[in-house]
Amino acid sequence: MRQLYRRVEHHFRPGRERMLEDTEASSSNAPVADPPVTDTPVTDTPVIDTPVTATPPVTRRRKNKMPLAIELLEQPDTIDSQLSSPIFALLPREVRDLIWRFSLTCYEDLDNLYDIQKRYARPRQAAPLRIAVELLLTCQAVYVETFLTPFQVNPMKVFDGDTKDIPPDDPLTRLPRIPLRCSKLKPWQFANISSVELNVQQFTLEGGSLERVSWMVGNSGRHRGHECRSYMLEGYPPFVEPTKSKDGPDRLKDLDENRPPPLQNPLIGRKITHLSIRMSRTDWWTWNTSPDRCEAEPSERLRLEPMINTTSTTANASAMTRGYEARKAGMEPDFELDSFEQQGLWGTQITEHWPDLKTLEFGLETFSCKQNQLDYVAECAKLWKFPLENGYHLVWSGREESLRWRGSWQSYGYEWGSPWIQQRNGVRNFGDPADGQEFVVRTLTFERRRNEDRSDSFGQ
């Protein structure tokens, strides 16, 4: 029996090693990438999705291996159908896909909680994220149906802000000083990501973060149905037109069209259909202003307005309220911006650089003693509308979530210049576990809907 086992193990070892290669990039965490560095000359970064000029971009020399599943699916008779299992014998493919998607969605490893005293420890990020890719190793029948699923159901996480908010020990996270950003993923893995979570500070959001991250993700090429082949030296993936070579991945198009969806070219970029924008308590322009001063000086209150990028100035501090009043009256706000100022508004960047979104989520956090300010920001945001192509808009879906949570009873390091945090935010005595700082989070979800009465551009 032992000799038989060794012969079987030797026979299947090459395929098993390929399956392990296909899953190793996602074995411990959801796809995560580091953002363009905002305090370095990001304007010199090559545009990923523009047509190739006389000087083509320099790419890393790496053999573009296709997943083992492609070879297996080209010879389906070699795959055990597993009809002795009720999952395959009784459940249709659509139901199995729901099971796979649920099983391969990332989860928090609660046996290894982060230190609550660290700023990156928070709800939904209380422990390292894991993906149960062991499921792909159960048998070939499961593997060929699931090899793309971990990348399709889990978001790429981008941190464009304070590095202290980035969780540690993540093999797919890159610090800003490291130029290679996404290359932990193979091109076919990167191409199958369809959602992005952007953790951003307000000054980077208003400074073009959405446009820069769209270059990194390759939104333009994904929108046009292009392939992800390799990575530039800067770590960005160039998307190019699909190959017509019979020796390349395009040979899949010659196969039976009735075959399962995985037989589609895995290098074709999936459209980014979901974007989450998250701001933590210290990401606002006026995060360190005391609540008392905010009451006396409304210009120091929290504010966020997609149609203006200079809310840090006193002159534009009331822009959010002005926009809210205009939208309540059924109009888009007019901030009397000149043609130069109208360029790069973060609201229009969603329209221009994220055209395939079906859902947009805002997760906004602040100190509990500033909850009334965050509540007002959320009320104003419910009237935001982001136009898309063909008469569609992203509008508030009516879905709203509120969360209150208690963090560290020790100092995070930012309190010493803001004594009001100890006085007003639940911290009476540093060092007492019952005195942890208290925070509130408001989450709003926007959905893609057709609106024939709205213009396809802001301000018209």
Side-chain angles (χ1 to χ4, degrees):
M1 180 65 69
R2 182 176 299 176
Q3 292 178 349
L4 176 61
Y5 172 78
R6 288 177 177 173
R7 287 199 300 270
V8 172
E9 181 185 37
H10 177 76
H11 178 74
F12 285 104
R13 182 176 297 163
R16 182 178 177 84
E17 290 175 352
R18 287 283 299 283
M19 292 165 70
L20 285 168
E21 280 186 7
D22 292 346
T23 61
E24 63 182 359
S26 62
S27 61
S28 60
N29 291 75
V32 180
D34 199 60
V37 185
T38 56
D39 54 358
T40 57
V42 295
T43 52
D44 295 333
T45 302
V47 178
I48 300 171
D49 300 304
T50 54
V52 177
T53 60
T55 305
V58 179
T59 57
R60 303 183 68 205
R61 295 182 178 274
R62 176 188 295 182
K63 186 176 180 181
N64 188 10
K65 281 187 177 181
M66 296 296 286
L68 172 64
I70 300 303
E71 298 177 14
L72 295 175
L73 288 167
E74 289 178 338
Q75 303 177 31
D77 294 338
T78 65
I79 302 174
D80 188 335
S81 58
Q82 299 291 349
L83 293 181
S84 60
S85 167
I87 292 180
F88 289 91
L90 302 178
L91 299 181
R93 174 64 186 270
E94 294 79 7
V95 175
R96 294 201 302 273
D97 283 341
L98 292 176
I99 296 174
W100 307 146
R101 292 175 68 87
F102 176 79
S103 302
L104 293 170
T105 298
C106 64
Y107 63 93
E108 294 172 295
D109 182 4
L110 299 182
D111 292 330
N112 295 282
L113 290 172
Y114 290 139
D115 184 351
I116 191 62
Q117 299 177 31
K118 301 299 184 181
R119 284 174 51 178
Y120 51 75
R122 60 181 62 247
R124 297 180 53 182
Q125 195 171 281
L129 297 178
R130 308 297 185 197
I131 301 176
V133 293
E134 297 82 3
L135 174 65
L136 278 67
L137 302 177
T138 54
C139 67
Q140 291 183 348
V142 171
Y143 168 65
V144 296
E145 290 191 0
T146 60
F147 74 103
L148 297 178
T149 306
F151 311 99
Q152 295 174 350
V153 301
N154 295 297
M156 169 183 287
K157 289 194 173 183
V158 181
F159 292 88
D160 198 359
D162 195 330
T163 56
K164 294 180 181 179
D165 291 333
I166 302 177
D169 303 325
D170 187 335
L172 298 181
T173 296
R174 287 292 175 269
L175 297 177
R177 65 178 180 272
I178 301 177
L180 300 179
R181 313 198 194 287
C182 308
S183 55
K184 268 286 186 179
L185 297 175
K186 296 179 176 64
W188 63 268
Q189 295 172 332
F190 184 83
N192 278 277
I193 291 172
S194 61
S195 61
V196 174
E197 180 179 309
L198 173 59
N199 298 266
V200 63
Q201 292 180 306
Q202 189 169 4
F203 87 92
T204 54
L205 176 65
E206 296 182 357
S209 179
L210 284 169
E211 180 178 1
R212 293 191 298 272
V213 173
S214 76
W215 296 345
M216 184 180 72
V217 175
N219 277 349
S220 178
R222 293 172 183 270
H223 182 65
R224 296 196 294 266
H226 287 182
E227 287 183 357
C228 177
R229 298 286 187 78
S230 57
Y231 293 94
M232 297 181 185
L233 290 178
E234 295 82 4
Y236 291 93
F239 280 79
V240 297
E241 291 189 11
T243 178
K244 301 300 181 182
S245 171
K246 290 295 183 181
D247 297 326
D250 201 52
R251 69 184 187 278
L252 301 176
K253 294 182 178 180
D254 296 332
L255 298 175
D256 185 355
E257 293 182 356
N258 295 322
R259 294 280 180 82
L263 274 181
Q264 301 299 320
N265 184 350
L267 294 177
I268 298 292
R270 292 177 65 90
K271 294 178 172 59
I272 301 298
T273 57
H274 177 77
L275 172 65
S276 295
I277 299 176
R278 304 196 177 279
M279 291 173 54
S280 73
R281 54 192 177 274
T282 60
D283 287 336
W284 303 83
W285 281 115
T286 58
W287 72 268
N288 57 350
T289 304
S290 70
D292 292 337
R293 183 180 173 187
C294 291
E295 292 297 327
E297 302 178 35
S299 62
E300 294 296 324
R301 295 170 63 89
L302 301 180
R303 66 261 187 170
L304 192 63
E305 167 56 51
M307 278 302 295
I308 195 164
N309 274 356
T310 54
T311 56
S312 60
T313 64
T314 302
N316 291 325
S318 63
M320 183 180 69
T321 297
R322 291 159 53 195
Y324 177 61
E325 296 297 332
R327 294 182 180 102
K328 281 203 304 183
M331 301 179 293
E332 288 296 339
D334 181 8
F335 295 110
E336 299 180 351
L337 305 178
D338 59 32
S339 58
F340 177 78
E341 292 175 317
Q342 291 177 2
Q343 299 178 18
L345 301 176
W346 69 265
T348 61
Q349 287 176 7
I350 293 176
T351 300
E352 296 171 6
H353 301 288
W354 301 82
D356 301 304
L357 290 182
K358 294 182 179 179
T359 54
L360 171 65
E361 183 180 88
F362 289 92
L364 309 175
E365 179 189 68
T366 191
F367 302 92
S368 62
C369 57
K370 290 188 174 185
Q371 179 175 351
N372 63 329
Q373 299 180 41
L374 185 61
D375 289 344
Y376 184 60
V377 172
E379 287 304 307
C380 293
K382 291 175 182 178
L383 297 183
W384 293 348
K385 293 191 177 183
F386 304 95
L388 300 173
E389 296 177 343
N390 302 320
Y392 285 91
H393 290 75
L394 288 167
V395 298
W396 181 51
S397 66
R399 180 181 174 186
E400 178 181 14
E401 298 178 7
S402 298
L403 172 68
R404 181 183 294 267
W405 68 283
R406 193 172 290 276
S408 175
W409 56 90
Q410 300 286 349
S411 170
Y412 283 108
Y414 54 64
E415 300 90 349
W416 304 117
S418 305
W420 60 268
I421 295 178
Q422 184 173 0
Q423 299 165 2
R424 298 284 303 275
N425 203 56
V427 182
R428 297 179 295 277
N429 180 26
F430 282 127
D432 185 350
D435 263 352
Q437 294 189 39
E438 195 171 46
F439 312 106
V440 291
V441 182
R442 295 290 295 273
T443 303
L444 300 178
T445 301
F446 289 67
E447 293 181 348
R448 183 188 186 100
R449 295 179 182 174
R450 182 179 291 278
N451 189 338
E452 301 292 347
D453 299 329
R454 305 291 298 184
S455 168
D456 282 348
S457 60
F458 281 105
Q460 296 183 2

mmCIF file of all heavy atoms in Angstrom, residues 3 57 78 107 110-111 131 140 152 158 161 169 190 211 223 227 270 351 372 382 396 398 417 424 434 448 456:
data_model
loop_
_atom_site.group_PDB
_atom_site.id
_atom_site.type_symbol
_atom_site.label_atom_id
_atom_site.label_comp_id
_atom_site.label_asym_id
_atom_site.label_seq_id
_atom_site.Cartn_x
_atom_site.Cartn_y
_atom_site.Cartn_z
ATOM 1 N N GLN A 3 3.903 1.568 -1.187
ATOM 2 C CA GLN A 3 4.513 1.741 -2.504
ATOM 3 C C GLN A 3 3.510 2.310 -3.500
ATOM 4 O O GLN A 3 3.839 3.165 -4.328
ATOM 5 C CB GLN A 3 5.057 0.403 -3.001
ATOM 6 C CG GLN A 3 6.251 -0.112 -2.193
ATOM 7 C CD GLN A 3 6.710 -1.462 -2.691
ATOM 8 O OE1 GLN A 3 6.026 -2.093 -3.498
ATOM 9 N NE2 GLN A 3 7.872 -1.915 -2.193
ATOM 10 N N PRO A 57 7.048 50.833 -23.295
ATOM 11 C CA PRO A 57 7.414 50.776 -21.882
ATOM 12 C C PRO A 57 8.311 49.589 -21.591
ATOM 13 O O PRO A 57 8.200 48.536 -22.223
ATOM 14 C CB PRO A 57 6.064 50.631 -21.181
ATOM 15 C CG PRO A 57 5.165 50.046 -22.207
ATOM 16 C CD PRO A 57 5.626 50.601 -23.518
ATOM 17 N N THR A 78 -10.027 14.291 -18.798
ATOM 18 C CA THR A 78 -9.031 13.842 -17.825
ATOM 19 C C THR A 78 -9.403 14.238 -16.397
ATOM 20 O O THR A 78 -8.731 13.835 -15.447
ATOM 21 C CB THR A 78 -7.656 14.416 -18.160
ATOM 22 O OG1 THR A 78 -7.700 15.847 -18.028
ATOM 23 C CG2 THR A 78 -7.247 14.057 -19.586
ATOM 24 N N TYR A 107 -11.335 36.451 5.365
ATOM 25 C CA TYR A 107 -11.863 36.549 6.724
ATOM 26 C C TYR A 107 -10.720 36.927 7.660
ATOM 27 O O TYR A 107 -9.537 36.773 7.343
ATOM 28 C CB TYR A 107 -12.499 35.229 7.160
ATOM 29 C CG TYR A 107 -11.521 34.065 7.235
ATOM 30 C CD1 TYR A 107 -10.879 33.742 8.432
ATOM 31 C CD2 TYR A 107 -11.233 33.305 6.096
ATOM 32 C CE1 TYR A 107 -9.978 32.689 8.497
ATOM 33 C CE2 TYR A 107 -10.331 32.260 6.158
ATOM 34 C CZ TYR A 107 -9.703 31.956 7.346
ATOM 35 O OH TYR A 107 -8.805 30.923 7.409
ATOM 36 N N LEU A 110 -8.927 35.499 13.696
ATOM 37 C CA LEU A 110 -9.139 35.983 15.053
ATOM 38 C C LEU A 110 -8.270 35.281 16.082
ATOM 39 O O LEU A 110 -8.248 35.688 17.254
ATOM 40 C CB LEU A 110 -10.616 35.832 15.417
ATOM 41 C CG LEU A 110 -11.589 36.616 14.528
ATOM 42 C CD1 LEU A 110 -13.016 36.433 14.997
ATOM 43 C CD2 LEU A 110 -11.220 38.096 14.503
ATOM 44 N N ASP A 111 -7.540 34.252 15.674
ATOM 45 C CA ASP A 111 -6.578 33.630 16.586
ATOM 46 C C ASP A 111 -5.287 34.431 16.669
ATOM 47 O O ASP A 111 -4.417 34.117 17.498
ATOM 48 C CB ASP A 111 -6.263 32.202 16.123
ATOM 49 C CG ASP A 111 -7.460 31.270 16.272
ATOM 50 O OD1 ASP A 111 -8.273 31.511 17.186
ATOM 51 O OD2 ASP A 111 -7.577 30.328 15.470
ATOM 52 N N ILE A 131 -7.441 33.760 3.322
ATOM 53 C CA ILE A 131 -8.306 33.185 2.300
ATOM 54 C C ILE A 131 -8.096 31.678 2.318
ATOM 55 O O ILE A 131 -6.956 31.209 2.291
ATOM 56 C CB ILE A 131 -7.991 33.743 0.898
ATOM 57 C CG1 ILE A 131 -8.165 35.261 0.882
ATOM 58 C CG2 ILE A 131 -8.889 33.099 -0.160
ATOM 59 C CD1 ILE A 131 -7.773 35.895 -0.429
ATOM 60 N N GLN A 140 -9.206 18.171 -8.631
ATOM 61 C CA GLN A 140 -9.138 18.951 -9.863
ATOM 62 C C GLN A 140 -10.494 19.527 -10.237
ATOM 63 O O GLN A 140 -10.568 20.628 -10.800
ATOM 64 C CB GLN A 140 -8.599 18.078 -11.004
ATOM 65 C CG GLN A 140 -7.135 17.710 -10.843
ATOM 66 C CD GLN A 140 -6.618 16.902 -12.014
ATOM 67 O OE1 GLN A 140 -7.397 16.420 -12.848
ATOM 68 N NE2 GLN A 140 -5.306 16.724 -12.076
ATOM 69 N N GLN A 152 -11.498 37.306 -7.749
ATOM 70 C CA GLN A 152 -12.729 37.938 -8.194
ATOM 71 C C GLN A 152 -13.607 38.415 -7.044
ATOM 72 O O GLN A 152 -14.394 39.343 -7.206
ATOM 73 C CB GLN A 152 -13.514 36.960 -9.084
ATOM 74 C CG GLN A 152 -12.795 36.623 -10.388
ATOM 75 C CD GLN A 152 -13.508 35.542 -11.181
ATOM 76 O OE1 GLN A 152 -14.439 34.906 -10.684
ATOM 77 N NE2 GLN A 152 -13.072 35.326 -12.415
ATOM 78 N N VAL A 158 -5.639 49.353 -1.328
ATOM 79 C CA VAL A 158 -4.659 50.386 -1.653
ATOM 80 C C VAL A 158 -4.603 51.376 -0.500
ATOM 81 O O VAL A 158 -5.647 51.857 -0.048
ATOM 82 C CB VAL A 158 -5.024 51.110 -2.965
ATOM 83 C CG1 VAL A 158 -3.986 52.155 -3.312
ATOM 84 C CG2 VAL A 158 -5.161 50.107 -4.103
ATOM 85 N N GLY A 161 -2.110 57.060 2.053
ATOM 86 C CA GLY A 161 -2.200 57.967 3.191
ATOM 87 C C GLY A 161 -1.121 57.672 4.200
ATOM 88 O O GLY A 161 0.012 57.335 3.850
ATOM 89 N N ASP A 169 2.934 42.509 8.192
ATOM 90 C CA ASP A 169 3.029 41.080 7.875
ATOM 91 C C ASP A 169 2.097 40.660 6.751
ATOM 92 O O ASP A 169 1.509 39.574 6.777
ATOM 93 C CB ASP A 169 2.737 40.230 9.123
ATOM 94 C CG ASP A 169 3.663 40.577 10.279
ATOM 95 O OD1 ASP A 169 4.837 40.894 10.002
ATOM 96 O OD2 ASP A 169 3.207 40.555 11.436
ATOM 97 N N PHE A 190 -3.837 39.227 -11.340
ATOM 98 C CA PHE A 190 -4.130 40.658 -11.251
ATOM 99 C C PHE A 190 -5.290 41.035 -12.159
ATOM 100 O O PHE A 190 -6.144 41.847 -11.803
ATOM 101 C CB PHE A 190 -2.883 41.464 -11.631
ATOM 102 C CG PHE A 190 -3.051 42.943 -11.485
ATOM 103 C CD1 PHE A 190 -2.897 43.565 -10.264
ATOM 104 C CD2 PHE A 190 -3.377 43.724 -12.579
ATOM 105 C CE1 PHE A 190 -3.063 44.929 -10.122
ATOM 106 C CE2 PHE A 190 -3.545 45.088 -12.456
ATOM 107 C CZ PHE A 190 -3.389 45.696 -11.215
ATOM 108 N N GLU A 211 -7.440 59.213 -9.600
ATOM 109 C CA GLU A 211 -6.871 59.079 -10.949
ATOM 110 C C GLU A 211 -5.608 58.232 -10.914
ATOM 111 O O GLU A 211 -5.422 57.344 -11.757
ATOM 112 C CB GLU A 211 -6.555 60.457 -11.529
ATOM 113 C CG GLU A 211 -5.953 60.397 -12.923
ATOM 114 C CD GLU A 211 -5.683 61.772 -13.497
ATOM 115 O OE1 GLU A 211 -5.943 62.783 -12.794
ATOM 116 O OE2 GLU A 211 -5.193 61.849 -14.642
ATOM 117 N N HIS A 223 -11.500 48.485 -19.125
ATOM 118 C CA HIS A 223 -12.723 48.970 -19.743
ATOM 119 C C HIS A 223 -12.786 48.581 -21.220
ATOM 120 O O HIS A 223 -13.870 48.321 -21.755
ATOM 121 C CB HIS A 223 -12.792 50.493 -19.590
ATOM 122 C CG HIS A 223 -14.032 51.115 -20.135
ATOM 123 N ND1 HIS A 223 -15.286 50.868 -19.624
ATOM 124 C CD2 HIS A 223 -14.224 51.983 -21.179
ATOM 125 C CE1 HIS A 223 -16.192 51.546 -20.309
ATOM 126 N NE2 HIS A 223 -15.578 52.214 -21.255
ATOM 127 N N GLU A 227 -5.672 42.810 -22.370
ATOM 128 C CA GLU A 227 -4.991 41.793 -21.580
ATOM 129 C C GLU A 227 -3.935 42.406 -20.672
ATOM 130 O O GLU A 227 -3.296 43.390 -21.017
ATOM 131 C CB GLU A 227 -4.284 40.786 -22.500
ATOM 132 C CG GLU A 227 -5.188 39.822 -23.218
ATOM 133 C CD GLU A 227 -4.376 38.818 -24.033
ATOM 134 O OE1 GLU A 227 -3.130 38.945 -24.046
ATOM 135 O OE2 GLU A 227 -4.974 37.936 -24.649
ATOM 136 N N ARG A 270 -10.733 42.039 -15.938
ATOM 137 C CA ARG A 270 -12.117 42.204 -15.500
ATOM 138 C C ARG A 270 -12.344 43.668 -15.150
ATOM 139 O O ARG A 270 -11.476 44.346 -14.595
ATOM 140 C CB ARG A 270 -12.409 41.332 -14.279
ATOM 141 C CG ARG A 270 -12.395 39.853 -14.579
ATOM 142 C CD ARG A 270 -12.620 39.048 -13.303
ATOM 143 N NE ARG A 270 -13.930 39.264 -12.741
ATOM 144 C CZ ARG A 270 -15.007 38.552 -13.036
ATOM 145 N NH1 ARG A 270 -14.920 37.575 -13.925
ATOM 146 N NH2 ARG A 270 -16.166 38.790 -12.460
ATOM 147 N N THR A 351 -16.130 59.696 -12.522
ATOM 148 C CA THR A 351 -16.764 59.620 -13.842
ATOM 149 C C THR A 351 -15.765 59.245 -14.922
ATOM 150 O O THR A 351 -16.020 58.390 -15.773
ATOM 151 C CB THR A 351 -17.413 60.972 -14.179
ATOM 152 O OG1 THR A 351 -18.392 61.286 -13.199
ATOM 153 C CG2 THR A 351 -18.057 60.947 -15.557
ATOM 154 N N ASN A 372 -21.715 64.367 15.672
ATOM 155 C CA ASN A 372 -22.678 65.252 15.025
ATOM 156 C C ASN A 372 -22.127 65.828 13.728
ATOM 157 O O ASN A 372 -22.858 66.036 12.756
ATOM 158 C CB ASN A 372 -23.097 66.379 15.981
ATOM 159 C CG ASN A 372 -21.922 67.273 16.363
ATOM 160 O OD1 ASN A 372 -20.780 66.823 16.440
ATOM 161 N ND2 ASN A 372 -22.191 68.548 16.611
ATOM 162 N N LYS A 382 -25.629 61.950 0.982
ATOM 163 C CA LYS A 382 -26.748 61.188 0.436
ATOM 164 C C LYS A 382 -27.306 61.806 -0.845
ATOM 165 O O LYS A 382 -27.990 61.116 -1.618
ATOM 166 C CB LYS A 382 -27.858 61.067 1.484
ATOM 167 C CG LYS A 382 -27.494 60.183 2.669
ATOM 168 C CD LYS A 382 -28.568 60.198 3.739
ATOM 169 C CE LYS A 382 -28.175 59.363 4.937
ATOM 170 N NZ LYS A 382 -29.191 59.391 6.015
ATOM 171 N N TRP A 396 -27.038 57.357 -4.062
ATOM 172 C CA TRP A 396 -27.181 56.677 -2.781
ATOM 173 C C TRP A 396 -28.309 55.662 -2.859
ATOM 174 O O TRP A 396 -29.424 55.956 -3.302
ATOM 175 C CB TRP A 396 -27.466 57.690 -1.679
ATOM 176 C CG TRP A 396 -27.606 57.073 -0.322
ATOM 177 C CD1 TRP A 396 -26.739 56.198 0.277
ATOM 178 C CD2 TRP A 396 -28.684 57.260 0.596
ATOM 179 N NE1 TRP A 396 -27.210 55.835 1.521
ATOM 180 C CE2 TRP A 396 -28.406 56.467 1.750
ATOM 181 C CE3 TRP A 396 -29.852 58.025 0.574
ATOM 182 C CZ2 TRP A 396 -29.249 56.428 2.844
ATOM 183 C CZ3 TRP A 396 -30.697 57.977 1.676
ATOM 184 C CH2 TRP A 396 -30.395 57.192 2.792
ATOM 185 N N GLY A 398 -29.830 54.152 -0.405
ATOM 186 C CA GLY A 398 -30.682 54.078 0.771
ATOM 187 C C GLY A 398 -30.085 53.223 1.865
ATOM 188 O O GLY A 398 -30.607 53.167 2.989
ATOM 189 N N GLY A 417 -0.719 66.605 21.079
ATOM 190 C CA GLY A 417 -0.983 67.964 20.619
ATOM 191 C C GLY A 417 -2.447 68.325 20.627
ATOM 192 O O GLY A 417 -2.828 69.428 20.223
ATOM 193 N N ARG A 424 -12.468 64.743 26.041
ATOM 194 C CA ARG A 424 -13.797 64.626 25.444
ATOM 195 C C ARG A 424 -14.071 63.291 24.752
ATOM 196 O O ARG A 424 -15.217 63.024 24.394
ATOM 197 C CB ARG A 424 -13.978 65.742 24.397
ATOM 198 C CG ARG A 424 -13.912 67.160 24.946
ATOM 199 C CD ARG A 424 -15.203 67.520 25.671
ATOM 200 N NE ARG A 424 -16.358 67.365 24.804
ATOM 201 C CZ ARG A 424 -16.797 68.305 23.955
ATOM 202 N NH1 ARG A 424 -16.148 69.470 23.878
ATOM 203 N NH2 ARG A 424 -17.857 68.106 23.218
ATOM 204 N N ALA A 434 -10.732 50.127 30.590
ATOM 205 C CA ALA A 434 -12.133 50.545 30.482
ATOM 206 C C ALA A 434 -12.266 51.934 29.884
ATOM 207 O O ALA A 434 -13.388 52.401 29.657
ATOM 208 C CB ALA A 434 -12.787 50.515 31.856
ATOM 209 N N ARG A 448 -25.327 51.946 -9.124
ATOM 210 C CA ARG A 448 -25.452 52.396 -10.512
ATOM 211 C C ARG A 448 -26.923 52.309 -10.925
ATOM 212 O O ARG A 448 -27.529 51.238 -10.892
ATOM 213 C CB ARG A 448 -24.600 51.504 -11.421
ATOM 214 C CG ARG A 448 -24.570 51.907 -12.891
ATOM 215 C CD ARG A 448 -23.845 50.830 -13.682
ATOM 216 N NE ARG A 448 -23.646 51.206 -15.063
ATOM 217 C CZ ARG A 448 -22.510 51.685 -15.560
ATOM 218 N NH1 ARG A 448 -21.467 51.848 -14.761
ATOM 219 N NH2 ARG A 448 -22.392 52.007 -16.826
ATOM 220 N N ASP A 456 -25.124 64.097 -18.035
ATOM 221 C CA ASP A 456 -24.009 63.177 -17.896
ATOM 222 C C ASP A 456 -22.735 63.866 -17.458
ATOM 223 O O ASP A 456 -21.656 63.336 -17.588
ATOM 224 C CB ASP A 456 -23.743 62.441 -19.226
ATOM 225 C CG ASP A 456 -24.754 61.339 -19.435
ATOM 226 O OD1 ASP A 456 -25.468 61.019 -18.461
ATOM 227 O OD2 ASP A 456 -24.837 60.817 -20.557
#
